[in-house]
Amino acid sequence: MPTGDEAVQLLEELGLTEYEARCFVGLSRVPKASAKEISDLSTVPRSRVYDAVERLHRRGLVDVQQSEPRQYRALSKDAALEILREEYDSTLDAAEAALAGLRRSEHLEEEGAWAIADHDHVTNRIGSLIEDGEDEVYVLVVDDGLLDRKLYDLLSAAVDREMTVIVELSSEDAKQRIEEEVPSAKATVTTLANDPAKLEGKWLGRIVMVDRRSVLISALTDETLPGRRTETAIWASGPDHGLVVGTRHLLGARIDDSDVLS
């Protein structure tokens, strides 16, 4: 079961200071409390309790009773979480607006190869590469388990922008799924997707190349729990980057050969 320390840590991640979080968690255990009692409940020095609960009061998370001594009461869990959720969403909206106002250089390519260590982050990076592309998206899916709703949506968005979408797959079932979800994509089954050698529980997941100037290559790794796996990837952008040049050399002619992708 979650502990008080875990609750404090999570509240800190939502924007409370350590002392604010400890005071709130302490107050949540009792109907109401004085500053001295809060200090005893939370292990926050009494001299720091006053500032912490005052800040919590200003945020609407704690009520104050004007008595002698003053009594404090934490809002209910649901009410407090709703306030924190609204603050979090507001902060995200502000950050989105601020980041949207930044101008990205159109003349500089990313330098070096970058590593990604999470399936969702890999998919998000694929989305960014496609979003920055203009003409062509090539995807080799070695593991059918990587065909998910987010990938379908990314490829559909590329089609909507009139980009050429080419998908090579390991099975007829996977091809049918692509044809159903992204009808305008050019899908084909290929032996290129065969990966018979799993080195130390690792195998190729997918390769993505956008406009033949951005490349992402992912790998899957078995976890200790049955049926669980981790996706990691490297990606690079720029026509002169070694990873891009090598992948373009291996796949470019293949993509252009109508007999291969028929």
Side-chain angles (χ1 to χ4, degrees):
M1 294 181 61
T3 66
D5 287 341
E6 289 173 323
V8 167
Q9 181 180 353
L10 291 170
L11 287 171
E12 287 183 70
E13 293 179 7
L14 289 174
L16 271 63
T17 67
E18 179 185 356
Y19 283 169
E20 289 170 356
R22 289 194 176 279
C23 287
F24 185 83
V25 169
L27 269 175
S28 297
R29 293 186 169 123
V30 295
K32 62 180 180 178
S34 65
K36 180 182 183 303
E37 291 168 333
I38 295 172
S39 178
D40 294 337
L41 288 165
S42 64
T43 69
V44 173
R46 185 174 177 181
S47 60
R48 304 297 300 275
V49 165
Y50 296 102
D51 288 341
V53 293
E54 178 59 30
R55 290 193 299 269
L56 290 170
H57 175 60
R58 289 199 298 267
R59 296 180 71 164
L61 299 173
V62 166
D63 290 335
V64 180
Q65 186 179 60
Q66 300 296 332
S67 57
E68 186 59 41
R70 285 189 178 184
Q71 297 289 314
Y72 303 91
R73 180 182 65 182
L75 262 66
S76 69
K77 171 180 67 68
D78 290 341
L81 289 177
E82 183 60 30
I83 290 173
L84 292 173
R85 184 178 292 110
E86 290 177 357
E87 290 182 356
Y88 190 79
D89 289 343
S90 177
T91 300
L92 282 178
D93 290 341
E96 181 181 11
L99 291 172
L102 299 178
R103 296 185 60 185
R104 182 173 180 175
S105 172
E106 299 178 356
H107 307 292
L108 296 177
E109 299 282 2
E110 298 280 359
E111 296 182 357
W114 299 82
I116 313 171
D118 176 81
H119 168 72
D120 289 338
H121 293 164
V122 172
T123 301
N124 289 339
R125 175 51 56 182
I126 291 173
S128 297
L129 297 181
I130 292 176
E131 184 178 344
D132 291 340
E134 297 178 355
D135 301 313
E136 177 187 86
V137 179
Y138 168 87
V139 183
L140 171 67
V141 180
V142 174
D143 191 294
D144 292 356
L146 295 174
L147 292 173
D148 56 18
R149 171 50 51 194
K150 183 66 178 292
L151 183 60
Y152 296 144
D153 290 344
L154 292 175
L155 297 180
S156 296
V159 168
D160 291 342
R161 292 171 50 207
E162 300 184 350
M163 298 178 73
T164 299
V165 176
I166 302 163
V167 187
E168 292 200 87
L169 304 139
S170 63
S171 67
E172 286 292 340
D173 178 66
K175 177 185 176 184
Q176 183 177 351
R177 288 158 62 186
I178 285 289
E179 289 174 340
E180 291 174 352
E181 297 289 346
V182 194
S184 297
K186 188 171 186 177
T188 184
V189 177
T190 175
T191 57
L192 194 63
N194 295 339
D195 185 11
K198 290 187 178 182
L199 181 62
E200 296 180 354
K202 301 178 186 293
W203 67 100
L204 184 63
R206 47 187 167 178
I207 298 176
V208 178
M209 183 166 64
V210 179
D211 289 351
R212 307 192 190 188
R213 64 187 300 122
S214 298
V215 169
L216 179 144
I217 302 175
S218 83
L220 294 172
T221 306
D222 284 327
E223 294 187 7
T224 54
L225 294 176
R228 297 290 298 275
R229 60 196 181 172
T230 300
E231 185 180 23
T232 59
I234 58 171
W235 69 274
S237 185
D240 300 325
H241 191 282
L243 181 65
V244 177
V245 172
T247 306
R248 185 172 65 233
H249 174 77
L250 292 172
L251 297 177
R254 179 182 184 82
I255 294 171
D256 294 334
D257 189 340
S258 59
D259 292 332
V260 174
L261 299 179
S262 59

